[in-house]
């Protein structure tokens, strides 16, 4: 792989789009994380014990990934701008690979982490439905007995 004007020009415009999507995702993640932290603070103030749940840990990890993605993309953009500004543009295969991987991985992370809240919501609803079904199953023997008692009266 070699750095070309066309590739550098394309990536210097693609990377900010990835950074924009990452910043929106990071902002949403930070808002949700802040909401969870505030909820936990209220629970502690009310005397409840708060344990880290997998959702809070996942949100913290997602925020870290967004921050790292943004930092790597800023660095790639910086390198591309200076490569394009140089009079003598070296072929820079290492820079080409770095930029290509940064763009591909950045795009994948934006897609995956963008879909993560949908998955988390789905899992929460599925777990809630499972708990409701279990509670309903546990209460059915009593309903069955109640029906027999009514028939005897």
């Amino acid at each position: 792989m070699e750095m070309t004007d066309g590739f550098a020009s394309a990536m210097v415009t693609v990377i900010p789009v990835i950074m924009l999507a990452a910043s929106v995702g990071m902002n949403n993640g930070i808002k949700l994380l802040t909401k969870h932290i505030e909820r936990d603070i209220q629970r502690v103030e009310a005397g409840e014990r708060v344990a880290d749940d997998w959702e809070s840990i996942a949100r913290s990890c997602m925020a870290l990934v967004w921050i790292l993605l943004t930092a790597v993309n800023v660095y790639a953009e910086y390198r591309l701008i200076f490569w394009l500004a140089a009079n003598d543009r070296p072929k820079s295969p290492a820079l080409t690979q770095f930029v290509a991987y940064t763009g591909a991985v950045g795009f994948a992370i934006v897609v995956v982490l963008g879909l993560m809240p949908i998955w988390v919501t789905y899992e929460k609803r599925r777990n809630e439905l499972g708990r409701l079904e279990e509670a309903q199953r546990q209460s059915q023997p009593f309903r069955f007995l109640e029906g027999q008692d009514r028939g005897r009266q």
Side-chain angles (χ1 to χ4, degrees), residues 20-93:
L20 178 62
S23 67
V24 169
M26 187 169 44
N27 187 37
N28 290 338
I30 289 170
K31 283 180 183 178
L32 287 172
L33 192 58
T34 302
K35 184 175 107 178
H36 283 274
I37 290 170
E38 289 172 356
R39 180 201 63 198
D40 289 347
I41 289 171
Q42 290 174 349
R43 289 172 61 194
V44 168
E45 288 173 344
E48 295 180 38
R49 188 167 180 237
V50 178
D52 281 336
D53 57 345
W54 69 270
E55 187 178 347
S56 295
I57 294 168
R59 290 189 191 285
S60 297
C61 291
M62 285 172 55
L64 180 62
V65 169
W66 285 124
I67 291 166
L68 292 173
L69 174 64
T70 302
V72 170
N73 277 275
V74 166
Y75 180 70
E77 186 75 8
Y78 165 83
R79 294 286 311 269
L80 281 171
I81 290 169
F82 278 92
W83 187 88
L84 285 168
N87 290 331
D88 59 333
R89 296 180 180 156
K91 296 185 187 224
S92 299

